[in-house]
Amino acid sequence: LSRSPRRLTHTLPDRRFAAVPPRLTQIRLLDEIDETLAFAQQLQDAGCALLAVHGRYRGSPMRRRDGPAHLDQVALIKQRLSVPVVTNGNVRSGAELVDSLLLTGADGAMTAEGALDDPAIFAKAIAHAHAERSRLAAERRRAKALKAQRHLTEEEAAVVRGRKAAKATLAQIKAISSALPPPPSAAPPPPFALAEQYIGLVEEHPPPGGAAALLSHAVFHLRRLCRTPLAEFGLLADLEACKSLAACADVIRRCRAFAEGSEAFQGRRRPPSYWRRQQRRKKM
């Protein structure tokens, strides 16, 4: 439908009728920013109550994405519309999630790849937003105190020069953090703990599709959660060869033991880049 904007707007109901539930829509960027802005405006006029924008151009069967997301264009869409806008793209960590909100001015952020690699990404974003608010407030207080001094080091002069930018960013961070819950009292769980939680959830709530689907999903998600240590200790192939969830759990247990030093690792630890090169060579 994104290839036919007019057709998509016709699928949205008239919001003048109270019984019609709100419609939430997600789009990608069109080829030109003016086309994207016009499309977003048409969606709002047609009754869209919230618009999520993936800041990349429409892909093709051969190329899903091309480079980083264009969050500057998401910012222009947010400026044009009155309905809430959610930004999507360039979020691989909690800090990047907060940065995307600052850059776009969006009302929220969504992530797929980032959450697959780290399900605790939103907890980390909350902690980062509150920490940034404290850091920027301290930086402004320091700049105010330094301004009265005559002789400043180069670093101190840079702090004073950046006080206006810090003030503007602090105002944005305050708006973001005030809408968030308090920062977590404990640090988010590490990847191995998340992997073990995931295995427990899969055992309790198996996905539809039987044993084959369960194993396929488990291998995929455990590989995403623990990719770096699995690659470092040469256990990616072991995980992919698993025939049961119990076997997957044993691979994760061994990987954690190697990483924490409770079991001796016999072999050479390799960075993830080494295993990526090996995979590419196999495909050639």
Side-chain angles (χ1 to χ4, degrees), residues 1 7 14 66 92 100 123 125-126 128 134 231 240 248 278 280:
L1 285 176
R7 182 182 170 196
D14 194 328
D66 184 12
R92 294 164 297 181
S100 73
I126 291 170
H128 180 76
S134 299
E240 293 170 356
C248 293
Q278 295 298 102
R280 284 197 294 268

Side-chain angles (χ1 to χ4, degrees), residues 212-269:
L214 184 151
L215 186 60
S216 174
H217 295 330
V219 169
F220 172 83
H221 287 291
L222 292 171
R223 186 174 60 227
R224 296 295 299 249
L225 285 167
C226 301
R227 181 184 331 177
T228 298
L230 285 168
E232 185 177 359
F233 296 107
L235 292 173
L236 281 171
D238 291 37
L239 179 65
E240 293 170 356
C242 287
K243 302 300 183 184
S244 67
L245 187 61
C248 293
D250 185 62
V251 171
I252 297 301
R253 181 200 62 76
R254 288 163 52 207
C255 190
R256 183 170 193 169
F258 292 150
E260 295 177 351
S262 59
E263 288 186 20
F265 174 66
Q266 302 297 326
R268 183 178 177 184
R269 295 171 67 163

Side-chain angles (χ1 to χ4, degrees), residues 14-169:
D14 194 328
R15 290 290 294 142
R16 290 175 297 179
F17 299 98
V20 174
R23 289 294 188 263
L24 316 180
T25 310
Q26 182 177 10
I27 64 170
R28 282 181 177 245
L29 303 175
L30 301 183
D31 295 335
E32 300 293 337
I33 181 59
D34 289 342
E35 294 177 352
T36 306
L37 292 173
F39 182 29
Q41 185 67 56
Q42 290 167 9
L43 289 170
Q44 176 177 281
D45 295 344
C48 174
L50 180 148
L51 182 65
V53 183
H54 188 161
R56 288 186 172 87
Y57 296 109
R58 296 170 297 177
S60 67
M62 299 299 294
R63 194 177 189 88
R64 257 182 68 222
R65 61 181 64 201
D66 184 12
H70 301 277
L71 298 187
D72 54 332
Q73 296 195 35
V74 180
L76 293 174
I77 295 169
K78 170 58 187 172
Q79 293 169 18
R80 169 69 68 92
L81 302 185
S82 59
V83 299
V85 172
V86 174
T87 179
N88 179 210
N90 295 359
V91 173
R92 294 164 297 181
S93 67
E96 287 186 349
L97 192 150
V98 174
D99 289 344
S100 73
L101 291 173
L102 291 172
L103 179 61
T104 62
D107 302 279
M110 60 187 291
T111 176
E113 301 284 340
L116 285 171
D117 290 334
D118 184 4
I121 189 170
F122 287 98
K124 292 178 180 178
I126 291 170
H128 180 76
H130 287 289
E132 276 295 281
R133 179 172 179 171
S134 299
R135 184 189 68 80
L136 288 166
E139 185 176 312
R140 284 205 65 218
R141 290 193 297 270
R142 185 183 178 211
K144 186 176 181 180
L146 289 172
K147 190 179 178 183
Q149 298 182 19
R150 284 190 174 184
H151 303 290
L152 300 176
T153 66
E154 186 175 336
E155 184 269 337
E156 289 171 338
V159 170
V160 173
R161 289 194 300 271
R163 66 188 186 279
K164 290 184 179 180
K167 180 180 179 180
T169 305

Side-chain angles (χ1 to χ4, degrees), residues 273 275-284:
S273 57
W275 299 106
R276 286 195 294 269
R277 288 196 299 271
Q278 295 298 102
Q279 289 293 326
R280 284 197 294 268
R281 287 170 183 166
K282 288 179 182 179
K283 294 178 180 178
M284 293 176 65

